Amino acid sequence: MTQPLRLAEEAAADDDLRLDAVFAALSDPVRRAVLARLDGHELLVSELAEPFDISLQAVSKHIQVLVRAGLVAQERTGRISRCRLDAGPIYEAAVWLNRYSKYWQDQFNLLAVALEDIEKDRAADRRAAKRRGARRRKHPRGRS
């Protein structure tokens, strides 16, 4: 195997490992909530832990998973640990997912056509009901 080919395969394997780490990190609702809290904010670990009904230690473990996945950058000053979101890996995951959008885009297009057909049928039904109502008013029942 040539050197460039081997390097390309190693890079692809590294990309796969990073993607695995991102999806594993995003698979937990607590970690997704931590990321949501960090969106646009830089927070202390203790501030991140406030809304959760789990221990500070448990939140710290979740944060470490996010750090290893590259989703959170953590800076320590003494005993104080400040966290911020790093959305780069989320973007990379979105790019990977987007490769498969063609499969669900066709389904969305079919759904749009079906909904349009349903709306046309409902509009036709409303027009027909309106015409029937107008005829009844012109010719009340019981009179010839």
Side-chain angles (χ1 to χ4, degrees):
M1 184 181 305
T2 65
Q3 182 70 15
L5 183 57
R6 187 173 55 214
L7 291 175
E9 287 178 353
E10 289 173 6
D14 288 346
D15 290 347
D16 285 346
L17 289 174
R18 280 193 302 275
L19 200 55
D20 290 349
V22 169
F23 283 123
L26 294 174
S27 70
D28 187 275
V30 171
R31 292 192 287 266
R32 289 192 306 270
V34 166
L35 292 176
R37 287 185 46 80
L38 286 173
D39 188 16
H41 301 93
E42 190 171 294
L43 298 172
L44 301 175
V45 172
S46 59
E47 293 171 320
L48 279 170
E50 285 174 4
F52 300 106
D53 194 25
I54 57 177
S55 70
L56 182 61
Q57 183 180 10
V59 172
S60 292
K61 287 182 180 183
H62 282 294
I63 291 169
Q64 289 313 304
V65 171
L66 294 167
V67 168
R68 285 191 299 275
L71 296 165
V72 169
Q74 192 173 28
E75 297 174 14
R76 293 182 189 265
T77 307
R79 295 185 64 160
I80 297 176
S81 182
R82 194 173 290 282
C83 300
R84 66 177 166 73
L85 175 68
D86 182 352
I90 294 174
Y91 175 77
E92 293 166 8
V95 168
W96 185 86
L97 284 170
N98 196 44
R99 294 188 312 188
Y100 300 95
S101 67
K102 61 186 170 198
Y103 298 109
W104 64 77
Q105 189 59 50
D106 290 342
Q107 297 302 311
F108 287 141
N109 292 340
L110 289 172
L111 177 60
V113 168
L115 291 173
E116 189 176 298
D117 289 346
I118 290 169
E119 185 53 38
K120 284 179 184 176
D121 290 346
R122 286 181 178 170
D125 290 347
R126 286 190 296 267
R127 286 191 302 273
K130 200 178 212 183
R131 284 192 300 272
R132 283 191 302 271
R135 275 184 278 183
R136 283 187 194 126
R137 285 190 296 273
K138 287 180 182 177
H139 305 286
R141 289 183 187 200
R143 293 187 171 184
S144 303

